[in-house]
Amino acid sequence: MNPNQCRLALRPRGPLEVFDLGLRLVRANAADIAGLVALTVGPPAVLLGGLAWWVEGAPEIVLPLVLLACLPLPAPFAVLTGRLLFAERFPVREVVVDLLRHLPQLAWAWFVQGFVWVIGAATCGAGWLVMHATWLFVEETALLERVGVGRTLRRSFRLASAHPGAALAGTLGRLAITVWFAVVGEAAGHAIVSTVLQLGAPFGSATAGMVTPYMVLGILLAQPVFAIYRLLLYVDVRTRVEGWDLQVRLRAAGLSS
């Protein structure tokens, strides 16, 4: 990290302002993000979309696998966004190399997140809301702070506890972004296939209780957006709680090691 190349004004922001900042970051780095989306979202979207068609959209089969595929998707975009805050470009191959270097920490983070989903399902969503907020930043602490496996949970808990509003905003944001992308993906898919191409509804419809390939694609595409939003929330929390903006300025001035 070169603190002299920080491309973001580090200051406290509200959750909506953070989301707007994320959209601006996507527009400014559309090529890099699109390449990473094609690499990470494309294959599971094709496989799971084909499965949804094969099993006629059975939600009890498709949805658990889609949620499982969502677990690793935010990590590459957390790395890319974190690097783009301090660099004009960060090649996709470097993102892959960085992820491979931290597979043990990532595997632990994914296990924790999977456990959160299981608890959420067992408690009809109530446990998920609390636990997801508590461990919202587990991937950021593992990937960007380079801390050990044991410290990732403690760091995430400390940051979430210091600013519970941001942690809750990130958790509800993930839910809202995923639902919105699923609805838009379903509507756009039917508009293109049924209305423009005049092919009817070959994959069924969500209104009939089916999980369509359009919905699968929408849910998967939501995860990169959430990852960027969560990374910027993480930056905001560290700025508020730990004075990260001052740390970066001191490093840029050569006054801190």
Side-chain angles (χ1 to χ4, degrees):
M1 180 185 77
N2 186 347
N4 291 297
Q5 295 180 353
C6 184
R7 303 171 61 202
L8 176 67
L10 297 176
R11 60 175 179 80
R13 291 179 169 86
L16 293 180
E17 190 179 0
V18 170
F19 186 76
D20 179 68
L21 181 63
L23 295 180
R24 295 185 182 186
L25 188 67
V26 170
R27 288 196 297 268
N29 302 277
D32 291 326
I33 293 174
L36 193 56
V37 166
L39 179 66
T40 58
V41 176
V46 172
L47 292 175
L48 293 172
L51 175 66
W53 170 76
W54 181 260
V55 300
E56 298 181 343
E60 66 275 9
I61 298 176
V62 181
L63 281 181
L65 294 176
V66 172
L67 293 178
L68 184 64
C70 287
L71 287 178
L73 284 181
F77 296 90
V79 172
L80 179 62
T81 308
R83 299 300 183 267
L84 288 176
L85 295 181
F86 296 92
E88 290 289 337
R89 294 292 306 276
F90 193 74
V92 172
R93 65 178 179 275
E94 295 296 331
V95 174
V96 176
V97 170
D98 208 351
L99 290 174
L100 291 177
R101 288 173 180 166
H102 298 89
L103 274 181
Q105 293 94 329
L106 278 176
W108 172 245
W110 295 337
F111 172 79
V112 170
Q113 292 174 1
F115 176 73
V116 169
W117 284 104
V118 171
I119 294 299
T123 58
C124 299
W128 177 83
L129 185 66
V130 175
M131 297 180 69
H132 191 280
T134 299
W135 291 326
L136 179 67
F137 302 117
V138 67
E139 283 188 343
E140 281 73 17
T141 56
L143 289 169
L144 304 181
E145 298 186 26
R146 311 297 176 89
V147 299
V149 170
R151 286 192 60 196
T152 55
L153 292 182
R154 294 196 298 270
R155 278 289 295 162
S156 179
F157 177 78
R158 176 185 173 187
L159 292 172
S161 300
H163 199 328
L168 184 60
T171 297
L172 296 178
R174 182 172 203 173
L175 183 61
I177 290 169
T178 301
V179 171
W180 189 85
F181 267 78
V183 171
V184 171
E186 178 77 7
H190 282 293
I192 295 172
V193 175
S194 302
T195 304
V196 177
L197 300 179
Q198 294 293 309
L199 295 177
F203 304 114
S205 173
T207 57
M210 303 170 66
V211 179
T212 66
Y214 320 130
M215 184 186 298
V216 170
L217 179 61
I219 293 174
L220 295 179
L221 284 175
Q223 306 315 305
V225 177
F226 161 70
I228 295 171
Y229 178 52
R230 184 182 63 184
L231 186 280
L232 295 176
L233 278 177
Y234 163 80
V235 171
D236 180 68
V237 171
R238 287 199 63 185
T239 299
R240 292 174 182 269
V241 175
E242 301 177 342
W244 197 49
D245 53 338
L246 297 178
Q247 297 178 33
V248 171
R249 291 170 188 167
L250 288 174
R251 288 184 181 181
L255 300 177
S256 176
S257 58

